[in-house]
Amino acid sequence: MKIRPLNDRLLVKRLEEEAKTAGGIIIPDTAKEKPAEGKVVAVGPGKLNDKGERVGLQVKEGDRVLFSKYGGTDVKLDGDDYLIMREDDILGVIE
Amino acid sequence: MKIRPLNDRLLVKRLEEEAKTAGGIIIPDTAKEKPAEGKVVAVGPGKLNDKGERVGLQVKEGDRVLFSKYGGTDVKLDGDDYLIMREDDILGVIE
Amino acid sequence: MKIRPLNDRLLVKRLEEEAKTAGGIIIPDTAKEKPAEGKVVAVGPGKLNDKGERVGLQVKEGDRVLFSKYGGTDVKLDGDDYLIMREDDILGVIE
Amino acid sequence: MKIRPLNDRLLVKRLEEEAKTAGGIIIPDTAKEKPAEGKVVAVGPGKLNDKGERVGLQVKEGDRVLFSKYGGTDVKLDGDDYLIMREDDILGVIE
Amino acid sequence: MKIRPLNDRLLVKRLEEEAKTAGGIIIPDTAKEKPAEGKVVAVGPGKLNDKGERVGLQVKEGDRVLFSKYGGTDVKLDGDDYLIMREDDILGVIE
Amino acid sequence: MKIRPLNDRLLVKRLEEEAKTAGGIIIPDTAKEKPAEGKVVAVGPGKLNDKGERVGLQVKEGDRVLFSKYGGTDVKLDGDDYLIMREDDILGVIE
Amino acid sequence: MKIRPLNDRLLVKRLEEEAKTAGGIIIPDTAKEKPAEGKVVAVGPGKLNDKGERVGLQVKEGDRVLFSKYGGTDVKLDGDDYLIMREDDILGVIE
């Protein structure tokens, strides 16, 4: 099963972040939003600009990206967890 | 009875998702929004762009799509349940 | 008495939907919005686009339409109930 | 005393609607907004479009119009009650 | 001391309106907003349009204007009370 | 230490306004917003318009300006208090 | 590990500000927002304008900048704290 994102959306596989200490104590989030990390799995064709041309995305399949923790929508595909989000939810590419 | 959607709207037949366990216990949704799945039944002609041209939709009749669970409006046609939504509520096409 | 709607507005005669059971029990609406049905009685000339041209509506007099239940404004004309709404409140045309 | 409305505003003389029964009982408004009726007394020159041209209004002095009950601003001129509103608050012209 | 308003702003001297009865009883405002009256003292050069040209205001120094009671910002100049507001807060010119 | 504001922002040195009476009693602000006074210390290059040109500001270094009391962000430079605000927060220039 | 910001975003290393007195007492923030200081570490390629061209940023790597205290998203890279923010959150460059 594959997902083809529309417009400026992309499919991201979330990379797990450690939210517990070794002893199992959950570390509460501070008020400040922290981004999550993921890997781009599929990208849409880009949004249409005013001239009617598609503007390709700045990220591509395989890129490791930081994204806003509360952005995007969870999708379950073949038992794995993914996120569909807009390119604008991507904060930066990790190189 | 048939529906012709206007502009960038489309008519989607919802594919049932299992929200109960085998024993009949309702599984509560987590806070995170999960998309629903459906099949495109009819598409509108697309929105007008700034040049006055209609921009055709990226999905077509028969496509299986993921859409935001809270998007769209329920419609009952000949006893079946459908949804009318904008193309922008479509998260991706399942291939 | 006749109404001439302005811009992209149209006048719709609401077709009654059954909100009570045969025994007179009122069926409560679920949280999900359900559209209402109506017949287009008069249409405006359309909105002006950026070039200063009027963009005619996609629906015409006599069309049976589905519209958002909470859209539009009630108008009473010669004892009958009508709604004035924008074309954007129309979800689809029933064919 | 005369008022010259600016841009796409117009001056409307409200036509009284009966909000009490013969016995003096006030009829409560239902939740659904109902439009009010009025007569156009003066119109502005229209809004500027992107090309810098004024787009004349679709209503003219003397027209009987329906408008959103909560739209516009009350003005008292020589003891009479008027409303200044934008053309967009006009729902339709009564013919 | 003189004020030069920027863009589409203008300086208005408020004309007093009587909010008390002869006996000194304060008349409460009804829920409906009523406009206030003033005299234009200075006008800005107008806003820039999309072509980079300033669009002059429709009101000029000396005009008596009606404006939204809650619009604008109070300014005290040499002991007198003025208001700085945008042209869009002007409802009409009294002639 | 010097600040170079970006785009349509400017740096303003606040001119003190007397908020206490001679006897030291604090005069409460009325509900109506009153503007504050300041002196322009540095201006940005202006915003980009649709053609990609910078539109220079209408105020220049040394101008005495009135600005919305709640606009802008406080900055402390070398022990003095300044404000960084957008040109749009400037109500007028005092001449 | 390096971050490449997208569009008009930039990566800023926060410069510590003293929020405690020598004796360790925490100084409460006043209601008025105060900006924070940082050093630009990486800049994105700029936003696309209406003509489809990227508009380069006005700040560059190495610039010391003032930014809104509540703007941006915290990122931890190799043990150091950074912020990803839009150029619009930058109030000015310190020279």
Side-chain angles (χ1 to χ4, degrees):
Chain A
M1 194 154 98
K2 260 188 65 182
I3 301 262
R4 173 165 59 87
L6 298 190
N7 294 311
D8 61 334
R9 286 202 178 85
L10 29 82
L11 189 71
V12 171
K13 186 154 172 40
R14 188 195 290 270
L15 300 179
E16 270 322 302
E17 37 183 341
E18 204 54 56
K20 291 190 192 171
T21 63
I25 297 158
I26 291 161
I27 302 162
D29 282 350
T30 61
K32 266 290 196 169
E33 181 190 2
K34 291 209 179 59
E37 211 180 308
K39 200 173 155 179
V40 177
V41 174
V43 298
K47 258 200 295 206
L48 284 172
N49 67 5
D50 281 1
K51 291 189 211 149
E53 304 157 347
R54 296 237 165 244
V55 181
L57 301 195
Q58 287 180 270
V59 293
K60 56 181 195 303
E61 244 188 86
D63 278 353
R64 264 177 71 205
V65 292
L66 287 168
F67 52 89
S68 165
K69 200 189 228 158
Y70 305 110
T73 307
D74 286 321
V75 191
K76 196 158 211 131
L77 291 176
D78 306 326
D80 286 317
D81 286 320
Y82 293 88
L83 281 138
I84 295 175
M85 63 183 70
R86 295 178 180 276
E87 190 191 35
D88 207 54
D89 290 323
I90 302 290
L91 297 168
V93 177
I94 302 171
E95 293 181 331
Chain B
M1 194 154 96
K2 259 189 63 181
I3 302 262
R4 172 166 59 87
L6 297 190
N7 294 311
D8 61 335
R9 287 203 178 82
L10 29 82
L11 189 70
V12 171
K13 186 153 173 38
R14 188 195 289 270
L15 301 179
E16 269 324 301
E17 35 183 342
E18 202 56 53
K20 290 191 193 170
T21 63
I25 297 159
I26 291 160
I27 302 164
D29 282 350
T30 61
K32 266 290 198 169
E33 181 190 1
K34 291 211 180 59
E37 211 179 308
K39 200 173 153 178
V40 178
V41 174
V43 298
K47 258 201 294 206
L48 285 173
N49 67 5
D50 280 2
K51 293 189 211 148
E53 303 158 347
R54 295 237 165 246
V55 181
L57 301 195
Q58 286 180 271
V59 292
K60 56 181 196 302
E61 244 188 86
D63 278 353
R64 265 177 71 205
V65 292
L66 287 169
F67 52 90
S68 164
K69 200 188 228 160
Y70 304 110
T73 307
D74 287 321
V75 191
K76 198 161 210 129
L77 291 175
D78 306 325
D80 286 316
D81 286 320
Y82 293 88
L83 282 138
I84 294 175
M85 63 183 70
R86 295 178 180 275
E87 191 192 33
D88 207 54
D89 290 323
I90 301 290
L91 297 169
V93 178
I94 302 171
E95 292 180 330
Chain C
M1 193 155 96
K2 258 189 64 181
I3 303 262
R4 172 167 58 87
L6 297 190
N7 295 311
D8 61 334
R9 287 201 178 84
L10 29 81
L11 189 71
V12 171
K13 187 154 172 36
R14 189 195 288 271
L15 302 179
E16 269 323 301
E17 36 184 341
E18 202 57 53
K20 290 191 192 169
T21 62
I25 296 159
I26 291 161
I27 302 163
D29 281 350
T30 62
K32 267 291 200 167
E33 182 189 1
K34 290 211 180 57
E37 209 178 311
K39 200 173 153 178
V40 178
V41 174
V43 297
K47 259 202 293 207
L48 285 172
N49 67 6
D50 281 1
K51 293 190 209 147
E53 304 158 348
R54 296 239 164 245
V55 182
L57 302 195
Q58 287 179 272
V59 293
K60 55 181 197 301
E61 244 187 86
D63 278 353
R64 266 176 71 204
V65 292
L66 287 169
F67 52 90
S68 165
K69 200 188 227 160
Y70 304 110
T73 307
D74 287 320
V75 191
K76 197 160 211 131
L77 292 174
D78 306 326
D80 286 316
D81 286 320
Y82 293 88
L83 281 139
I84 294 175
M85 63 183 70
R86 295 179 181 276
E87 190 192 32
D88 207 54
D89 291 323
I90 302 289
L91 297 169
V93 178
I94 303 171
E95 291 181 331
Chain D
M1 193 154 96
K2 259 189 64 181
I3 302 262
R4 172 167 58 89
L6 298 190
N7 294 312
D8 61 333
R9 287 201 177 84
L10 30 82
L11 189 71
V12 171
K13 187 154 173 35
R14 189 194 288 270
L15 302 178
E16 269 324 301
E17 37 183 341
E18 203 57 53
K20 290 189 192 172
T21 62
I25 296 159
I26 292 160
I27 302 162
D29 281 350
T30 61
K32 267 291 200 167
E33 182 190 1
K34 291 211 179 59
E37 208 179 312
K39 199 172 155 177
V40 178
V41 174
V43 298
K47 259 201 293 207
L48 285 173
N49 67 5
D50 281 0
K51 293 190 211 149
E53 304 158 347
R54 296 238 165 245
V55 181
L57 301 195
Q58 287 179 271
V59 294
K60 56 181 196 302
E61 244 188 84
D63 277 353
R64 266 177 70 205
V65 291
L66 286 169
F67 52 91
S68 164
K69 200 188 227 160
Y70 304 109
T73 307
D74 287 321
V75 192
K76 196 159 212 132
L77 292 174
D78 306 326
D80 285 317
D81 286 321
Y82 293 87
L83 281 138
I84 294 175
M85 63 183 71
R86 295 178 181 276
E87 191 191 32
D88 207 55
D89 291 322
I90 301 290
L91 296 168
V93 177
I94 303 171
E95 291 181 330
Chain E
M1 194 155 96
K2 260 189 64 181
I3 302 263
R4 172 167 59 88
L6 298 189
N7 293 312
D8 61 333
R9 288 202 177 83
L10 30 81
L11 189 71
V12 171
K13 188 155 173 34
R14 188 194 289 271
L15 302 178
E16 270 323 302
E17 38 185 337
E18 203 56 56
K20 290 189 190 171
T21 63
I25 296 158
I26 292 161
I27 302 162
D29 282 350
T30 61
K32 266 292 202 168
E33 182 190 1
K34 290 209 180 59
E37 209 178 310
K39 200 173 154 177
V40 178
V41 174
V43 298
K47 259 200 293 206
L48 284 173
N49 67 5
D50 281 359
K51 293 189 211 149
E53 304 158 348
R54 297 237 165 246
V55 181
L57 301 195
Q58 285 180 272
V59 294
K60 56 181 196 302
E61 244 187 85
D63 277 354
R64 264 177 72 205
V65 291
L66 287 169
F67 52 90
S68 166
K69 200 189 228 160
Y70 304 109
T73 307
D74 286 321
V75 192
K76 195 157 213 133
L77 291 175
D78 306 325
D80 285 318
D81 286 321
Y82 293 87
L83 281 139
I84 294 175
M85 63 183 71
R86 296 178 180 276
E87 191 191 33
D88 207 55
D89 291 322
I90 302 290
L91 297 169
V93 178
I94 303 171
E95 292 180 329
Chain F
M1 194 154 96
K2 260 189 65 181
I3 302 263
R4 172 166 59 87
L6 297 190
N7 293 312
D8 61 334
R9 289 202 176 84
L10 30 81
L11 189 71
V12 171
K13 187 155 172 36
R14 189 194 288 270
L15 302 177
E16 271 321 303
E17 37 184 338
E18 204 55 57
K20 291 190 191 170
T21 63
I25 296 158
I26 291 161
I27 302 162
D29 282 349
T30 61
K32 264 293 200 168
E33 181 189 1
K34 290 209 181 58
E37 211 178 309
K39 201 174 154 176
V40 178
V41 175
V43 298
K47 259 199 294 206
L48 285 173
N49 67 5
D50 281 0
K51 292 190 211 149
E53 304 158 348
R54 297 238 164 246
V55 181
L57 302 195
Q58 286 180 272
V59 295
K60 56 180 195 305
E61 243 188 84
D63 277 354
R64 265 177 71 205
V65 291
L66 287 168
F67 52 89
S68 165
K69 199 189 231 160
Y70 304 110
T73 308
D74 287 320
V75 192
K76 196 158 212 132
L77 291 175
D78 306 325
D80 285 318
D81 287 320
Y82 293 87
L83 282 139
I84 294 175
M85 62 183 70
R86 296 178 180 276
E87 191 191 34
D88 208 55
D89 291 322
I90 302 290
L91 297 169
V93 178
I94 302 171
E95 292 180 328
Chain G
M1 194 154 97
K2 261 189 64 182
I3 302 263
R4 172 167 59 88
L6 297 190
N7 293 312
D8 61 333
R9 287 201 177 85
L10 29 82
L11 189 71
V12 171
K13 186 154 172 40
R14 189 195 289 270
L15 301 178
E16 270 321 303
E17 38 184 339
E18 204 54 58
K20 291 189 190 171
T21 63
I25 296 158
I26 292 161
I27 303 162
D29 282 350
T30 61
K32 264 292 198 168
E33 181 189 3
K34 290 209 180 59
E37 211 179 308
K39 201 174 154 177
V40 178
V41 174
V43 298
K47 259 200 294 207
L48 284 173
N49 67 5
D50 281 0
K51 292 189 210 148
E53 305 157 347
R54 297 239 165 243
V55 181
L57 302 195
Q58 287 180 271
V59 294
K60 56 179 195 306
E61 243 188 85
D63 278 354
R64 264 178 71 206
V65 292
L66 287 168
F67 52 88
S68 165
K69 199 189 230 157
Y70 304 110
T73 307
D74 287 321
V75 192
K76 196 159 213 130
L77 290 176
D78 307 325
D80 286 317
D81 286 320
Y82 293 88
L83 281 139
I84 295 175
M85 63 183 70
R86 295 178 180 276
E87 191 192 34
D88 207 54
D89 291 322
I90 302 290
L91 297 168
V93 177
I94 302 172
E95 292 181 329

